[in-house]
Amino acid sequence: MPPFPTISALHAAYATGLSPSAVLAETYRRLAAIDDPGIFLTLLPETETVAAAEALGPFDPVAQPLWGVPFAVKDNLDVAGLPTTAACPDFAYLASETAPSVAHLLAAGAILIGKTNLDQFATGLVGLRTPHPAPRNALNADIVPGGSSSGSAVAVAHGLVAFALGTDTAGSGRVPAGLNNVVGLKPSLGSVSGRGLLPACRTLDTVSVFAGTVADADRVFRIMAGYDAADPYSRDLPIPAQPPGLPPGLRVGVPDAASRRFGGDPLSEAAFAAGLADLATVAGSAQAVDLAPLFAAAALLYDGPWVAERYQAIRPLIETQPEALHPTTRAVIGRAAGFSAADAFAGLYRLAELRRAADVLWERIDVLVVPTYPRPVTCAELEADPIGPNSELGTYTNFVNLLDLCALAVPGRFRADGLPAGLTLIAPRGRDGLLAALGARLHAASGVPIGTSVEPVPAPEAGPASAGPDEIELAVIGAHLSGLPLNGELTGLGARFLRAGETRPEYRLYALPGGPPRRPGLLRVAAGAGATIAAEVWALSPAAFGRFVAAIPAPLGIGTLHLADGTNPKGFLVEAEGIGSGTDITGYGGWRRYLTAQSLHVA
């Protein structure tokens, strides 16, 4: 078994003769050596997991992309024949069906090891709100493991499994990842079926993924993802695949000085600064943004409708057997009794206002990079105050689901005292692939090992720079370029960046009359009369391409462009009659350079 069982490492070993039974034997040996009874609430016998592996048939990673890969699931997800307890023994029931998210993974050849511990009813970010022994943080037992998906994160950090499922309502798929030096992927809401998931807040919950690398987390997510008509909260979202590289005009935001909260801990502040230095090497300069609207949204999470949702999820139990709940869980969820229906609507109205305010932020940036949590919290602090430190851990996570954003937590450079300090990437829904592309590069740049191992993070996997068989390539040369005002029209349709390049030297570029803003027009001319013009190529589904083309205003149209790399994607063109009194700006070599020159001229 590899030192850390990434999917690619396992499959490489299987291809050369390693048997799944040997991997499973090492899994159980490692678990015994760790001697942490708090990780699993249900652990399948080794004989049963070996039998599941033998039933897979010959090694076939094409038909079964997770063939022989051990994994675990949080114990608020149903697996047929196993108890679902949500860390509350009096609530436990035997599941009759397997949650679709889990079933997709089993069908892909993954081998379930067991079900993991959690903050009871997925209420908490610390991992200690359980009547069972709490999992120990994989790096340092003095600090909390993070919650609510504590057992899943710890299992991955120790290399017991290649990946594990958690859930995320307020940061439960991200905080434990950061505290245990692994990757935590919080998908766009509705992209993964929520059937078979015991809800915390049904309108905000999503199944999350813990893994050693971004590539593994992204692969697992895409195997699980898909519209489920039987889930009323499922959405048919376009989730483009991870692009092969970062768009040249990617706009990255980071918290401004007033939005940086580290609980007075200078070591965490210094670690974040080091992470931003890595970010600069990967994505260039970032702009500081005010997170006040996001923090205001986060403050709503335990007021009004959403704490009432938690109450509704366990209403029969909390009203008839309140003593069955962990004392802190009961205190948190019990606050719902203090809110009225009018309070719930007031909260919904306030959230709508804050969503509109947050939309302004996403007009300026494509990705937001924040600390995963302000600082590590010790178990001793939680014993003294079960509420305050938990709330602090959610500073940079609580607003994400409320505002319908996707997020990816990646390990960052450790603090000077050796404790972990992760970074979280956030973007509007549907941009999970973009987060994966940036997150993989940022994780590799940090230089930290995977989990508790000494294994280095592998170099990011470069995806194909051309469209797939079910996609159409579109070349853009103007305001639809990455980082420019109309790029959102592409990303909103699920377009994904493929490559940057330039046309063959047979075009001239014009700034067309009218506006503001002025528009570019690309005119094909005779051989020898043109020049190369900078372009970006994006991929769209046929349906998205049709919607995009239908909205193109005259005098522009779509034709076939000839690029210097020999490809011929569709792209914007203008007819000679449409140029009118436009200005020939071919000498700038591209629209972005023209805008930069104009900005410098005005300044």
Side-chain angles (χ1 to χ4, degrees), residues 577-594:
E577 290 80 2
I579 294 172
S581 58
T583 304
D584 189 328
I585 59 171
T586 307
Y588 290 99
W591 187 248
R592 200 192 302 276
R593 296 172 200 157
Y594 167 71

Side-chain angles (χ1 to χ4, degrees), residues 429-470:
R429 71 174 182 269
R431 301 187 188 176
D432 308 68
L434 175 61
L435 294 189
L438 177 57
R441 288 159 177 77
L442 192 55
H443 190 192
S446 71
V448 300
I450 302 176
T452 61
S453 76
V454 295
E455 284 293 290
V457 177
E461 298 179 5
S466 57
D470 57 346

Side-chain angles (χ1 to χ4, degrees), residues 276-305:
L276 293 185
D278 289 335
L279 177 66
T281 66
V282 169
S285 61
Q287 56 179 299
V289 296
D290 181 7
L291 303 191
L294 310 187
F295 291 150
L300 296 173
L301 190 63
Y302 287 96
D303 289 325

Side-chain angles (χ1 to χ4, degrees), residues 207-224:
V207 178
S208 65
V209 184
F210 296 94
T213 67
V214 173
D216 280 4
D218 185 66
R219 183 182 306 187
V220 170
F221 160 58
R222 294 185 183 280
I223 291 172
M224 290 193 300

